[in-house]
């Protein structure tokens, strides 16, 4: 990244494969040979060498997370989603808030609310998938709903699929409050094409909402590449154009899922994009499951959340 994008700002988020062994991220009070300090210390050095300000060093060394101001009215928070990773067995010690990350997140969001800032959150494992333990996900869900006016963007990966998950008000279950965007991967695992996403954000002007205005996804068809040996990225779709959305506000994503329920053509289009143009077949049971997952930004709660829609 430093070699090929030397003049571009880069804001990293820690994934689950960076540890050794994979998925092993103990809290900071675990010391000795089992400690993960070797990784966090290396990340703090590397990330602050060019990308991040030195003020982020302390929280990176503590738990692999940080916050940084992007402008006067926009903060970026990078959270370590391995503290909700259901394959991180160290969570058996503390499953609700390992390393105090959620308490730190609340402090960051409260500070931004007090100062009239907006916040974007980046992380690896999406909080609503079953890769994230239920207790942590439930707490995170409540935090996002509390600060729904402050958090204007959430961006994740991990699944390798192209999809999203909607947060709903705890007090008014039919009202969408936030959206977790889950971007496609640039790895083909498993049996997928490769893709990347560009988000269009309301820019830094006086009346900016700092919200996501649109996103565009670009894909490389590996079957065509193997036939022609021609490496060509193609624009797969723009969310607003292909789904005929007025905006990318949470309510409009909720409306899209409602339209998918009634219109198989819209759903089939989504499902093909989900696999980066690889898989197209999805029967009625599959469709119901997929639509439920889109409305379930809290893990292990699909039945409860989907029953309310």
């Amino acid at each position: 990244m430093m070699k090929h994008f030397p003049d571009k700002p880069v804001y990293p988020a820690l994934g689950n494969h960076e540890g050794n062994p994979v998925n092993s991220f103990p809290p900071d009070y675990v010391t000795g040979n089992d400690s993960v300090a070797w990784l966090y210390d290396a990340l703090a050095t590397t990330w602050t060498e060019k990308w991040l300000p030195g003020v982020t060093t302390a929280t990176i060394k503590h738990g692999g997370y940080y916050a940084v101001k992007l402008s006067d009215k926009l903060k970026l928070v990078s959270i370590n989603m391995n503290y909700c990773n259901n394959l991180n067995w160290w969570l058996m010690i503390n499953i609700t808030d390992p390393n105090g990350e959620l308490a730190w997140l609340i402090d960051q969001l409260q500070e931004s609310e007090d100062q009239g800032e907006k916040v974007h959150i980046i992380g690896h494992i999406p909080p609503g998938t079953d890769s994230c333990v239920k207790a942590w996900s439930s707490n995170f869900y409540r935090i996002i709903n509390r600060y729904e006016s402050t958090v204007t963007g959430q961006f994740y990966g991990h699944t390798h699929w192209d999809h999203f998950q909607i947060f709903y008000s705890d007090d008014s279950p039919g009202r969408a409050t936030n959206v977790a965007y889950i971007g496609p991967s640039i790895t083909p695992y498993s049996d997928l094409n490769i893709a990347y996403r560009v988000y269009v954000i309301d820019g830094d002007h006086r009346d900016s909402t700092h919200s996501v205005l649109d996103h565009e996804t670009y894909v490389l068809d590996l079957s065509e590449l193997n036939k022609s040996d021609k490496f060509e990225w193609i624009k797969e779709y723009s969310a607003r154009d292909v789904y005929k959305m007025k905006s990318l506000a949470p309510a409009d994503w909720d409306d899209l899922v409602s339209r998918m329920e009634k219109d198989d053509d819209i759903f089939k289009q989504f499902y093909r994009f989900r696999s980066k143009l690889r898989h197209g077949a999805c029967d009625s049971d599959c469709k119901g499951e997929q639509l439920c997952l889109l409305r379930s930004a809290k893990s292990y709660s699909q039945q409860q959340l989907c029953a309310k829609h």
Side-chain angles (χ1 to χ4, degrees):
M1 296 293 287
M2 289 180 178
K3 176 182 177 180
H4 293 287
F5 301 96
D7 301 319
K8 302 296 182 183
V10 175
Y11 301 101
L14 189 63
N16 61 303
H17 286 273
E18 280 83 326
N20 185 19
V22 66
N23 297 311
S24 180
F25 295 87
D28 69 341
Y29 49 77
V30 174
T31 59
N33 290 337
D34 292 326
S35 171
V36 75
W38 63 270
L39 174 61
Y40 292 164
D41 288 348
L43 293 178
T45 300
T46 303
W47 289 357
T48 59
E49 179 180 339
K50 190 168 184 179
W51 296 335
L52 301 177
V55 70
T56 61
T57 298
T59 56
I60 296 172
K61 285 190 171 186
H62 174 68
Y65 51 84
Y66 64 88
V68 62
K69 291 285 289 285
L70 301 184
S71 68
D72 286 343
K73 292 298 181 182
L74 180 62
K75 179 192 289 181
L76 178 75
V77 174
S78 177
I79 52 179
N80 183 355
M81 297 301 292
N82 290 296
Y83 293 133
C84 88
N85 182 356
N86 68 353
L87 295 179
N88 180 12
W89 299 111
W90 293 100
L91 300 189
M92 298 298 289
I93 299 175
N94 179 349
I95 206 169
T96 54
D97 189 16
N99 257 17
E101 182 178 39
L102 290 178
W104 170 84
L105 175 62
I106 291 170
D107 288 342
Q108 291 295 322
L109 295 176
Q110 186 61 53
E111 177 184 75
S112 292
E113 181 181 80
D114 292 343
Q115 296 179 4
E117 296 174 342
K118 300 301 182 184
V119 173
H120 290 174
I121 294 175
I122 60 174
H124 184 64
I125 298 173
T129 64
D130 286 353
S131 294
C132 183
V133 296
K134 185 175 181 179
W136 195 100
S137 176
S138 179
N139 286 332
F140 183 81
Y141 196 89
R142 294 176 63 193
I143 293 168
I144 293 299
N145 279 340
R146 163 61 183 84
Y147 294 98
E148 62 172 289
S149 299
T150 298
V151 178
T152 57
Q154 295 185 67
F155 311 94
Y156 304 95
H158 185 66
T159 68
H160 296 204
W161 303 95
D162 174 350
H163 52 134
F164 59 92
Q165 292 186 309
I166 304 171
F167 292 70
Y168 292 92
S169 168
D170 295 309
D171 299 323
S172 180
R175 185 176 67 84
T177 61
N178 227 286
V179 179
Y181 293 101
I182 306 169
S185 66
I186 54 172
T187 60
Y189 181 81
S190 60
D191 193 27
L192 299 170
N193 286 316
I194 63 177
Y196 68 90
R197 160 135 343 130
V198 176
Y199 293 95
V200 181
I201 307 294
D202 194 5
D204 192 22
H205 56 88
R206 186 181 64 180
D207 299 319
S208 178
T209 63
H210 296 292
S211 59
V212 181
L213 302 179
D214 199 1
H215 66 64
E216 299 176 346
T217 302
Y218 295 81
V219 65
L220 181 67
D221 189 320
L222 295 180
S223 295
E224 291 301 316
L225 173 63
N226 288 328
K227 291 177 186 176
S228 65
D229 202 28
K230 185 178 179 182
F231 197 97
E232 182 179 2
W233 290 97
I234 61 170
K235 182 178 177 179
E236 186 182 21
Y237 74 102
S238 152
R240 284 191 66 176
D241 287 346
V242 77
Y243 293 133
K244 311 301 181 190
M245 300 174 73
K246 293 183 295 183
S247 76
L248 267 61
D252 291 303
W253 285 108
D254 177 59
D255 175 71
L256 173 62
V257 178
S258 295
R259 286 189 284 129
M260 285 187 199
E261 288 176 330
K262 301 172 185 175
D263 190 328
D264 276 341
D265 289 337
I266 300 176
F267 173 75
K268 288 176 181 177
Q269 198 168 41
F270 158 78
Y271 194 72
R272 192 156 187 260
F273 291 151
R274 177 181 177 271
S275 62
K276 297 173 281 188
L277 306 182
R278 287 293 286 175
H279 305 301
C282 185
D283 60 21
S284 58
D285 288 340
C286 166
K287 177 180 176 179
E289 179 182 356
Q290 291 301 318
L291 293 178
C292 182
L293 289 172
L294 296 180
R295 281 182 161 148
S296 304
K298 180 163 56 175
S299 68
Y300 298 94
S301 302
Q302 289 87 356
Q303 185 175 1
Q304 167 200 347
L305 292 171
C306 293
K308 299 177 180 179
H309 296 276

